Amino acid sequence: GRYCSEKQYSDYLENLFKNNKVSYVRERALPESFKGENPRRNIPDFIVEDLIILDLKAKRFIDKEDYFQMKRYLTACGKRLGLVVNFREKRLNPKRVLNSSN
């Protein structure tokens, strides 16, 4: 449904990953984006197959802050592709975010 919490969607997706033997890491702190940054500031929901950063949302709409957050994640860990998925919308419409510096 559209009205669960972000953690409920994360738990369900984690079970799907386990059942389908998809390699993933959940909520691992990424390296600092800049010297002196709080070491636990960048924590994406999932890193899938060590290639894609997946960030789940359960809010009315995706905004610029969500986009900038994903850009920070991609920069911090040197990945090329990130997906922001909002489960509150009527239809799933994942937003792709590319790291052009890689």
Side-chain angles (χ1 to χ4, degrees):
R2 290 178 36 204
Y3 301 104
C4 295
S5 73
E6 184 180 313
K7 292 296 181 190
Q8 287 173 303
Y9 293 119
S10 294
D11 291 345
Y12 184 78
L13 188 57
E14 183 174 29
N15 284 331
L16 288 175
F17 286 158
K18 285 179 183 176
N19 292 339
N20 291 289
K21 296 177 178 51
V22 174
S23 172
Y24 71 94
V25 177
R26 183 173 178 182
E27 296 179 1
R28 182 184 76 191
L30 301 178
E32 299 172 355
S33 298
F34 57 88
K35 188 174 177 126
E37 181 181 32
N38 181 339
R40 303 239 347 125
R41 176 179 159 105
N42 295 321
I43 303 176
D45 293 322
F46 293 97
I47 300 175
V48 182
E49 298 287 339
D50 200 32
L51 294 171
I52 300 168
I53 296 179
L54 179 60
D55 201 34
L56 306 181
K57 302 292 181 188
K59 55 198 251 182
R60 292 183 61 166
F61 56 90
I62 300 298
D63 58 24
K64 286 184 196 178
E65 293 304 316
D66 301 313
Y67 170 79
F68 292 135
Q69 179 183 45
M70 179 57 75
K71 290 294 273 187
R72 252 193 345 267
Y73 292 164
L74 292 170
T75 301
C77 69
K79 302 291 183 222
R80 182 157 166 75
L81 176 64
L83 294 174
V84 180
V85 182
N86 186 11
F87 286 90
R88 188 65 49 92
E89 296 175 358
K90 286 185 180 182
R91 293 187 175 96
L92 285 182
N93 187 18
K95 303 292 183 195
R96 284 178 15 144
V97 181
L98 297 176
N99 184 1
S100 58
S101 64
N102 271 1

